[in-house]
Every structure is written in C-alpha cells, then in structure tokens.
Amino acid sequence: QVQLVESGGSSVQAGGSLRLSCAASGYTYSSRCLGWFRQAPGKKREGIALIDTDDTTTYEDSVKGRFTISQDNAKNTLYLQMNSLKPEDTAMYYCAVEEFPDGGYCYTFTATEYHSWGQGTQVTVSS
C-alpha cells in the first residue's frame, strides 16, 4: 500500500517561492505516474503537474513556466518548486500516484483516476 506524506506548505507573499515535498513509500510496481494536485475552498481538486517514471513532465496551463515538478528516485521523494506565486495559487496541495502493473504513462489530470493520496499541505499566497 502506497503512503504519501506532503510537506513544505506555508504562507508567502505574491511573487514568492515555495518548494513542496512528498515522501513516498510502499510502491508495488516500477511504472507509475506521480502528480501534484490542488484544491481551493469550494472548488474541485485539479491536477497541475505530472511526472512519469522516466521523468517526462506535463503541466496545467496556469502553472506552466512557474512551477517545476521533479523526483528523486533514490529518496522516493516528489517535489514541486513553485515560483512567482500568485494569490490564486492559494489552495491545499496534494500529491498522488497511480501505479501501472503492466507499464504505462501519465495520461490525465483527472483526480479520480489516482488512487493513492497524501493528506495535503496548505499554501497561502497573500497579495
């Protein structure tokens, strides 16, 4: 059973930076898609950045050029470097993973397609 634990959330001013971390354990398969999602109050959980086992990355348009997803396989840790933060980035941030028993790649930002989640870390950006 995969366990994910996020950290690094904080309150920052607009224009600032944060780096989120997600420590993972319990992987069963070597092929997986890891992602960062966020959910603001009253809104749906949205995917913002994905990374494949081979380090291929995909970004949602609103974070493209500002956020960078990366992973350290030796540490089983996923990261999200967030620069040029905006008030609209305020949300609870979650990491998630979907493993592929028969191999596979990231194919969707839809949160319901991911079955292992962390507890979330809060990011608040003030203007």
Side-chain angles (χ1 to χ4, degrees), residues 67-79:
F67 292 8
T68 302
I69 187 172
S70 63
Q71 60 187 337
D72 184 332
N73 291 322
K75 296 181 179 180
N76 272 346
T77 302
L78 177 72
Y79 301 101

Side-chain angles (χ1 to χ4, degrees), residues 1-6 22-37 45 49-53 69 71 73 76-78 94-101 104-108 110-119:
Q1 184 176 353
V2 178
Q3 292 189 323
L4 303 170
V5 180
E6 301 96 334
C22 172
S25 61
Y27 288 138
T28 301
Y29 304 103
S30 58
S31 180
R32 65 186 73 95
C33 174
L34 286 155
W36 284 100
F37 296 74
R45 190 171 297 188
L50 306 175
I51 188 166
D52 283 305
T53 309
I69 187 172
Q71 60 187 337
N73 291 322
N76 272 346
T77 302
L78 177 72
Y94 300 89
C95 62
V97 64
E98 187 65 12
E99 294 190 280
F100 303 118
Y105 297 92
C106 295
Y107 65 95
T108 182
T110 302
T112 52
E113 295 297 316
Y114 295 79
H115 296 94
S116 296
W117 292 86
Q119 82 289 348

Side-chain angles (χ1 to χ4, degrees), residues 43-108:
K43 294 191 175 182
K44 287 177 59 176
R45 190 171 297 188
E46 62 171 351
I48 57 173
L50 306 175
I51 188 166
D52 283 305
T53 309
D54 65 358
D55 285 338
T56 300
T57 58
T58 310
Y59 296 93
E60 192 269 332
D61 286 346
S62 68
V63 306
K64 203 173 292 184
R66 300 188 300 123
F67 292 8
T68 302
I69 187 172
S70 63
Q71 60 187 337
D72 184 332
N73 291 322
K75 296 181 179 180
N76 272 346
T77 302
L78 177 72
Y79 301 101
L80 184 69
Q81 178 66 44
M82 304 187 294
N83 298 329
S84 302
L85 282 161
K86 305 175 181 179
E88 51 263 44
D89 294 318
T90 295
M92 185 71 80
Y93 283 71
Y94 300 89
C95 62
V97 64
E98 187 65 12
E99 294 190 280
F100 303 118
D102 299 317
Y105 297 92
C106 295
Y107 65 95
T108 182

